[in-house]
Amino acid sequence: MRRTPLALAVSAALVAGTALGLAPAAQAAETGIRFVDIAGEGGTVLKANVVTPAGAAASARLPLIVLPTSWAMPQIEYLAQAQKLADSGYVVVSYNSRGFWQSGGEIETAGPKDVADASKVIDWALANTPADADRVGMAGVSYGAGISLLAAAHDPRVKAVAALSGWADLIESIYSGRTQHLQAAALLGGAGYLTGRPGPELKEILGDFLSSNLDKEDEMIAWGRKRSPVTYLDRINTNGAAIMLGNAWGDTIFPPNQYASFYEKLTGPKRLEFRPGDHATAEATGILGLPNDTWTNAHRWFDHHLKGVDNGIDREQPVQLKSRSTNGYEGYPDWKSVHANQRKFDLDGTQRIWANVDSGANGGITLLTNLLDQFLRTPPTVSVPLLPRAFAGVWQSERYATPQRVRGTAKVHTTVTSTKESGTLVAYLYDVGPLGVGKLVSNAPYTFHGKTPGQPFAVDLELFSTAYDVPAGHRLALVVDTVDALYIEHNPTGAQLTFSSPSADPSYVSVPLREK
């Protein structure tokens, strides 16, 4: 019997019940879903729900899936997926991460207590359900993805992971290019205060981060490294869990580059999927119980690695990409193959711009912009000819006679001279049509400190990875300015930036292209 409509009904009831302060068990007494309290690290109560396959014998030993909730989400987040998994023979335990909603404790931001909680939940499931200790998997979206990867490093019982819209490197996610990702951090912080109880450490880190307290930069980086799965890469590889990573090209909270880099370093069974969208939007319909490619493949991943089902997922190309411009998926043997074919265009001449003024080029709004691009294929646009050259540097390629299929990570190399010791620049790559309208392909920020005014220095910047098709007759343009609402900028008043291309070290953009 299909249970998805029931899951949606229970979800709605539980959300309403939570708002009224009612206990979840009272709302779901007739559903067959079991709501439990699990003692996490230090005895902290974690609110959880358990779904067991109907008719499972008491002596049966079934594969287990543990689902930590996303940041700021209630414990019924995964109910639809939990029931689908239970219908196919899994015991599923989903729990509210500590510090959020009705779970106890304070928000630790995937700290050691959160990792220990995951192991405590596994302990509880093995003691109180027909779960098989040799077939344990974990999955989650966003916060749940990060915790799942960290658990795979610290608990060898975790044999398979599906980490969706998560992070492998927290610093590269929200502090890439040494630049604070303002909207991402503010959104996470605000949601944490609204739905949970931030601990003193998180409050201090968030305050220092948003106030640009460079005196605490090393401490903030150390805090982020401690919460980054890539820090524990050797442990993950030693434990050998089968890792599936899924993310969106336009994820403005956990951009795709850091996931791709992490994927390349994994030595066990692995899979990488990128699709159009923003943070968690690629998985959203699946959370509601609707058909969803990401969740379908996550189920196939678990079926193969926990149940031994020969469903062919191990014979597919392990890197699967969906372009923002076309339907269908492209398979690659590894991430390096995605951007093996590079084409450069030069950043000739010298251009000087004033800082502190928004030129009109921008990366959009967190969650909204790339969601619209996902469904309507409407990225942010600018009129490139009308960009004010006093505040934006602009370089363009030749017109392309054939379509250019951008796949992977474009890289910018240039020489910068600043009139101040600190500064921020933001680079944008645009697809420019015959009328001069540019559609955003990618962007990335770059911040510097401690430079000698008037002394040139080299800048190497990776733009956020993407898959985008530039039509024939169009050209690519690189635009650089100094202000974007997505990021905190560090340009002193009156600063000027000069971009040059010395003969001994020419400036260029290197664009990865898919071969025909």
Side-chain angles (χ1 to χ4, degrees):
M1 180 179 70
R2 290 183 60 84
R3 296 194 228 171
T4 297
L6 176 61
L8 294 176
V10 172
S11 297
L14 288 174
V15 169
T18 300
L20 295 173
L22 302 177
Q27 317 302 313
E30 304 300 325
T31 68
I33 301 163
R34 187 156 59 109
F35 289 87
V36 299
D37 290 349
I38 297 176
E41 177 68 8
T44 297
V45 173
L46 305 175
K47 296 294 183 177
N49 57 71
V50 184
V51 186
T52 305
S59 60
R61 283 295 170 259
L62 305 173
L64 168 69
I65 303 294
V66 174
L67 302 168
T69 54
S70 303
W71 185 271
M73 294 296 288
Q75 62 162 303
I76 49 82
E77 175 187 10
Y78 301 117
L79 197 55
Q81 288 302 321
Q83 293 186 326
K84 287 176 180 288
L85 286 162
D87 285 344
S88 62
Y90 293 91
V91 174
V92 186
V93 180
S94 177
Y95 70 95
N96 222 144
S97 303
R98 71 165 52 223
F100 286 105
W101 293 87
Q102 294 174 322
S103 282
E106 297 175 324
I107 300 172
E108 300 286 334
T109 322
K113 291 181 181 179
D114 290 301
V115 178
D117 284 345
S119 291
K120 293 288 187 180
V121 172
I122 294 173
D123 292 342
W124 183 94
L126 295 177
N128 294 277
T129 74
D132 185 348
D134 294 325
R135 294 187 290 168
V136 177
M138 290 190 66
V141 175
S142 186
Y143 196 46
I147 291 174
S148 295
L149 288 173
L150 289 165
H154 291 84
D155 193 328
R157 295 176 297 181
V158 178
K159 304 300 183 185
V161 171
L164 312 177
S165 288
W167 77 92
D169 189 326
L170 193 57
I171 301 302
E172 282 301 309
S173 294
I174 61 173
Y175 196 49
S176 69
R178 207 179 176 186
T179 308
Q180 298 100 320
H181 294 209
L182 172 60
Q183 290 185 16
L187 179 65
L188 292 173
Y193 275 95
L194 181 65
T195 63
R197 298 167 299 282
E201 188 178 27
L202 174 57
K203 291 178 181 178
E204 182 178 357
I205 288 290
L206 191 61
D208 289 337
F209 186 81
L210 293 176
S211 66
S212 304
N213 187 353
L214 290 177
D215 291 338
K216 295 293 187 70
E217 184 179 37
D218 289 344
E219 293 177 28
M220 289 187 283
I221 290 174
W223 180 87
R225 293 280 179 246
K226 191 175 185 179
R227 290 158 170 78
S228 296
V230 71
T231 301
Y232 311 101
L233 179 69
D234 289 346
R235 293 188 192 180
I236 293 174
N237 286 334
T238 297
N239 290 342
I243 306 292
M244 172 182 162
L245 305 171
N247 205 356
W249 293 119
D251 194 322
T252 46
I253 295 180
F254 303 130
N257 304 46
Q258 45 92 31
Y259 244 19
S261 175
F262 178 68
Y263 170 84
E264 283 290 88
K265 298 170 185 174
L266 292 171
T267 58
K270 58 184 179 179
R271 181 178 177 93
L272 178 67
E273 300 182 356
F274 284 140
R275 298 175 174 85
D278 206 311
H279 184 65
T281 64
E283 301 85 23
T285 55
I287 289 177
L288 297 175
L290 302 174
N292 180 276
D293 290 352
T294 307
W295 282 104
T296 295
N297 286 340
H299 287 228
R300 293 175 63 220
W301 188 251
F302 288 131
D303 285 348
H304 179 74
H305 290 285
L306 297 181
K307 295 167 67 176
V309 176
D310 185 11
N311 55 20
I313 198 166
D314 58 317
R315 295 187 293 276
E316 296 173 359
Q317 296 274 40
V319 176
Q320 294 286 321
L321 311 181
K322 186 175 184 180
S323 169
R324 292 162 51 201
S325 307
T326 59
N327 295 318
Y329 291 88
E330 303 166 356
Y332 298 82
D334 51 39
W335 178 249
K336 292 179 182 177
S337 299
V338 175
H339 50 84
N341 179 36
Q342 299 279 331
R343 182 169 182 174
K344 294 182 179 180
F345 69 89
D346 295 330
L347 306 180
D348 291 328
T350 298
Q351 298 195 32
R352 180 177 293 107
I353 63 174
W354 289 94
N356 300 308
V357 177
D358 190 343
S359 71
N362 69 84
I365 301 172
T366 291
L367 295 183
L368 176 61
T369 297
N370 292 311
L371 178 65
L372 293 175
D373 188 40
Q374 176 182 351
F375 291 105
L376 302 177
R377 293 179 182 168
T378 55
T381 60
V382 296
S383 174
V384 174
L386 296 181
L387 286 171
R389 296 312 198 258
F391 310 116
V394 180
W395 300 263
Q396 298 191 74
S397 71
E398 78 278 15
R399 293 191 187 278
Y400 299 115
T402 58
Q404 305 294 297
R405 297 175 176 85
V406 180
R407 299 291 185 274
T409 310
K411 300 178 181 179
V412 177
H413 175 76
T414 189
T415 295
V416 177
T417 305
S418 175
T419 59
K420 306 290 185 179
E421 66 172 17
S422 296
T424 296
L425 60 92
V426 185
Y428 309 87
L429 188 65
Y430 285 101
D431 158 27
V432 184
L435 298 179
V437 175
K439 296 182 178 181
L440 186 65
V441 177
S442 186
N443 78 98
Y446 181 92
T447 293
F448 57 89
H449 297 288
K451 298 298 183 182
T452 302
Q455 181 173 316
F457 58 94
V459 169
D460 288 286
L461 176 61
E462 289 190 351
L463 305 188
F464 299 134
S465 304
T466 194
Y468 181 97
D469 296 348
V470 179
H474 288 214
R475 65 179 74 199
L476 287 169
L478 182 76
V479 174
V480 179
D481 72 1
T482 62
V483 176
D484 191 309
L486 287 172
Y487 313 113
I488 291 178
E489 52 92 5
H490 296 262
N491 296 299
T493 302
Q496 284 184 294
L497 301 180
T498 300
F499 300 88
S500 58
S501 182
S503 58
D505 185 21
S507 298
Y508 61 85
V509 178
S510 180
V511 182
L513 300 175
R514 177 178 171 86
E515 295 181 331
K516 295 183 178 60

